[in-house]
Amino acid sequence: MGGKIGIILIFYFLVLVVAFGGCAENSDQQAVPNSSTVQITDMLGRQLTVPAEISSTIGTSSPSTILVYMLAPDKLAGWNSKQNLTQPFMDENYSNLPVIGNWLGSKTGNYETIIEMHPDIVIESTSTDGQVNEAIERRQESLGSVPVVAINDSILFVTQSDPTIEYTGKLLDCEARAEKLIEFRSSILNEINSTVKDTPDDEKVRVYYAEGPKGLMTDPSGSPHSQLIDICGGLNVADCPLKSGSGMTQVSIEQVMDWNPEVIITSNPQFYASVYSDSLWENVDAVRNKQVYLAPQNPFCWIDRPQGPHLIIGTAWTAKMLYPDLFADMDLSGLTREFYSEFFHYELTDKELDMLLNPAAEA
C-alpha cells in the first residue's frame, strides 16, 4: 500500500514539475513586457520606434498622403492641399480633413501645425528637397518625438510602385488592401503591355501632353509627368529638354504645329474648355479631328500632378484614349467603379461616372 502511495506521489511530483516547467517556459516567452511601441526599419534602412498600433498618419507630400488615403483612410489626419472641386467624389469624413501643407512644390508645410496634431507617425517620400538622408534627418529633428518614416520614391512611378505599396500596407496594418491595389495595378499593366508592346514606332499614336491654361507647357518622353504616354505605347511628340523637378517645359504653338500630334491629352480644364475655339490650335490634327482629351480630375487628376498610386486608373484611361480600337474590350467604366469603391472609398453614381469619363458633356 505504502509502495502504491509512493508511486502516486512520485507521479504527482512529476506532473507538478512538468506543469511548473511549462509555466516557466511561458514566462520566458513573455519576459518582454507588453509594449505600446515596436521597432521598425523604414525604406531608407533607418531604425525607428513607432506605436504598435498606428491610428493617425500625416504625409509630407501628396504621393505619400494619397497612398495612406487609398490604403487606410481612417488613419489619415490631413491633406497637403485640396483641389477646388465642387464635387470631389469623396466622403466628407475624408474631404473635410484639415490642410497641413507640404514640402514639395510650394513648400507650405509647417512643423508646428503637425506637432500640434500629435500624429503617430509622419510618412515622407524620399523624393524630397536636397539630399534624401539629410532632408529626412532635418525633418525628424524639426518634428522632435514624432517618428518620420521614409518610403521609397517608387510610389511616383506606376510601373515601380509595388514595393512601396507593400511596405506601407504592412506599416499601417492594411496588407489586404495593399495586395488588392498591387493586383489591380498588375492586371491593368499586363493587359496594356501585352496589347501595345510590339507596336512599331511608325504605327504608334503621336501624342502631345498639353499643360498649363494655354496648353503650351509640356513634358517629353522619359519624364515622370508624362509617364502614362510611355506606358501606354504612345509616341510623345515633344522634342524639348527634359526638365527636372516640377517639369513643365515652355514651348511655342509653332513647335506644336510642327510636331502635329494626332492626340492631345491634358490635365488642365481651362485649356480643354478653350482649345476648340482657339484659332491658334485649329490647324493641329488632334484639334481638327476632335481628339483632345481631358483627364478625369476628381478627387485627384488621373494622369499627373499630383503623382502617386492613383495614376494606376489613369493608365487604363490613357490606353483607351490613345488606342480605342485596341482596347475596345477594356471595361473602363467597370474598372473606374471598382477603383473608386476599393481605393477611393466612394460609390460612384451613374451620373458621377459619366462626369468623370465624359467631361466634354460638362464643358
Side-chain angles (χ1 to χ4, degrees):
M1 184 71 175
K4 290 184 179 179
I5 293 175
I7 292 172
I8 292 173
L9 288 174
I10 292 172
F11 172 77
Y12 277 110
F13 175 76
L14 292 174
V15 170
L16 289 172
V17 168
V18 172
F20 279 109
C23 290
E25 185 177 343
N26 290 336
S27 178
D28 289 341
Q29 291 176 347
Q30 298 174 4
V32 177
N34 290 333
S35 175
S36 60
T37 61
V38 294
Q39 297 292 317
I40 68 165
T41 303
D42 72 8
M43 296 189 79
L44 281 182
R46 298 162 59 246
Q47 301 296 313
L48 299 168
T49 301
V50 303
E53 293 187 12
I54 296 171
S55 60
S56 177
T57 305
I58 283 177
T60 62
S61 63
S62 292
S64 54
T65 296
I66 292 173
L67 179 59
V68 174
Y69 170 63
M70 291 174 65
L71 297 183
D74 294 332
K75 298 183 180 183
L76 182 66
W79 299 105
N80 305 109
S81 63
K82 284 186 180 178
Q83 289 195 77
N84 186 23
L85 298 171
T86 56
Q87 293 177 295
F89 300 163
M90 181 184 292
D91 188 288
E92 62 182 24
N93 289 329
Y94 307 126
S95 63
N96 289 336
L97 290 173
V99 174
I100 51 92
N102 66 80
W103 280 273
L104 288 179
S106 59
K107 294 182 173 58
T108 57
N110 183 283
Y111 293 114
E112 287 74 20
T113 299
I114 293 178
I115 292 171
E116 289 173 1
M117 294 175 70
H118 303 291
D120 291 326
I121 62 170
V122 167
I123 295 181
E124 167 111 16
S125 168
T126 57
S127 60
T128 184
D129 53 307
Q131 294 296 315
V132 170
N133 287 290
E134 293 177 4
I136 294 291
E137 292 306 323
R138 185 167 62 249
R139 205 82 72 225
Q140 184 65 79
E141 182 179 353
S142 299
L143 289 171
S145 62
V146 181
V148 178
V149 182
I151 62 172
N152 196 280
D153 65 359
S154 69
I155 198 57
L156 300 177
F157 304 94
V158 175
T159 60
Q160 303 172 27
S161 57
D162 284 4
T164 307
I165 294 172
E166 183 179 14
Y167 176 88
T168 308
K170 291 179 180 178
L171 176 69
L172 300 180
D173 193 26
C174 51
E175 292 97 331
R177 183 168 283 133
E179 185 59 35
K180 279 187 178 180
L181 182 58
I182 290 171
E183 290 175 357
F184 190 97
R185 185 204 74 92
S186 297
S187 177
I188 289 178
L189 290 188
N190 288 342
E191 180 177 355
I192 291 173
N193 185 55
S194 64
T195 302
V196 304
K197 65 179 180 179
D198 296 325
T199 305
D201 283 351
D202 61 357
E203 294 182 16
K204 290 182 177 179
V205 173
R206 296 169 53 79
V207 189
Y208 174 70
Y209 175 29
E211 300 179 83
K214 295 182 179 180
L216 293 176
M217 290 177 157
T218 193
D219 284 284
S221 179
S223 167
H225 297 288
S226 60
Q227 61 181 295
L228 301 196
I229 297 174
D230 296 334
I231 291 171
C232 296
L235 186 65
N236 190 330
V237 300
D239 183 11
C240 61
L242 178 61
K243 190 176 178 181
S244 62
S246 59
M248 298 186 78
T249 299
Q250 183 75 49
V251 297
S252 68
I253 188 62
E254 289 77 19
Q255 286 175 292
V256 178
M257 292 175 67
D258 185 54
W259 298 331
N260 199 24
E262 300 169 80
V263 170
I264 294 174
I265 62 173
T266 184
S267 55
N268 192 287
Q270 186 176 340
F271 168 72
Y272 180 73
S274 64
V275 63
Y276 287 122
S277 60
D278 190 335
S279 59
L280 287 177
W281 290 84
E282 63 184 6
N283 291 320
V284 177
D285 276 356
V287 177
R288 187 166 50 240
N289 297 324
K290 306 295 183 185
Q291 300 293 305
V292 181
Y293 301 105
L294 174 65
Q297 305 287 306
N298 315 55
F300 318 106
C301 180
W302 283 19
I303 62 172
D304 189 23
R305 295 188 178 84
Q307 293 167 281
H310 62 290
L311 298 189
I312 292 169
I313 187 62
T315 59
W317 177 85
T318 302
K320 290 280 281 190
M321 298 307 104
L322 301 191
Y323 297 103
D325 293 336
L326 290 180
F327 292 99
D329 293 334
M330 177 183 279
D331 181 10
L332 184 58
S333 294
L335 289 172
T336 301
R337 284 191 186 279
E338 180 184 354
F339 192 83
Y340 272 64
S341 178
E342 288 285 350
F343 308 114
F344 284 166
H345 322 291
Y346 187 85
E347 302 299 329
L348 290 166
T349 66
D350 290 344
K351 181 179 180 181
E352 290 168 340
L353 180 65
D354 188 58
M355 290 171 62
L356 275 173
L357 301 183
N358 300 290
E362 304 297 317

